[in-house]
Amino acid sequence: MSTPVAGAAATNPAVVTGDHSGRQDVASTGADRTPFEVMLNLTQSATRGEKSTNDSQMIRVPARLLECHMTLPLGSSGGLYYVRVQRSVQSEVLKTAQGKATINGGDVWLDVELDLSNLSAGGYLLSYRHAAESWHRVPIVVTNLTK
């Protein structure tokens, strides 16, 4: 049995929604540039200075063009957010995106399109911030599903 890309339960930090066909996803071939939908629940992400030690809470996303629907932690503001992906805090920024967060029913939702199709499988940092605030970092694992 293969490890899923992301958890399916609402308590898990990431849920891959895809096309709901039950088929295993295959990385984008270039001809298929339709964004793959993922829901990232960042409400339980570590706060500044904390380190997550629970691998089951690790966010896993496929190496392809993603339409990310993120739920930000309680207390996050609405408005413009910047998102970036890099290997480590001090390494070069590999991907960037921006989007407008909205508040709905007490939840803060941020939608961004993020193209991870040319990233190698492995660990990365997904960082996000509101306007001139500090960066919030969440470890992610990019998976290559071409096997």
Side-chain angles (χ1 to χ4, degrees):
M1 177 179 264
S2 64
T3 302
V5 172
T11 59
N12 284 346
V15 177
V16 176
T17 56
D19 65 2
H20 305 290
S21 68
R23 295 176 297 165
Q24 183 173 356
D25 181 50
V26 177
S28 176
T29 61
D32 176 23
R33 295 300 295 167
T34 304
F36 191 76
E37 290 186 68
V38 294
M39 296 178 68
L40 305 177
N41 182 351
L42 304 181
T43 59
Q44 299 298 317
S45 62
T47 58
R48 278 175 264 185
E50 285 185 4
K51 288 190 176 186
S52 176
T53 57
N54 187 349
D55 286 342
S56 68
Q57 293 296 313
M58 184 65 68
I59 296 174
R60 298 178 188 280
V61 294
R64 59 179 297 180
L65 178 62
L66 302 177
E67 181 64 40
C68 299
H69 306 288
M70 297 184 240
T71 307
L72 300 180
L74 182 65
S76 298
S77 303
L80 181 64
Y81 276 78
Y82 300 97
V83 178
R84 67 186 185 191
V85 175
Q86 56 196 123
R87 278 287 186 181
S88 66
V89 174
Q90 299 300 321
S91 67
E92 79 176 280
V93 174
L94 302 171
K95 301 291 177 177
T96 61
Q98 66 182 39
K100 185 176 179 182
T102 57
I103 301 173
N104 186 358
D107 291 328
V108 182
W109 293 93
L110 174 62
D111 294 337
V112 297
E113 189 170 274
L114 200 54
D115 188 358
L116 305 182
S117 61
N118 64 348
L119 292 184
S120 302
Y124 293 86
L125 285 177
L126 172 76
S127 302
Y128 62 94
R129 72 177 178 133
H130 181 267
E133 294 179 5
S134 61
W135 290 99
H136 301 276
R137 296 175 186 89
V138 179
I140 64 170
V141 174
V142 173
T143 60
N144 184 344
L145 299 177
T146 58
K147 297 178 189 175

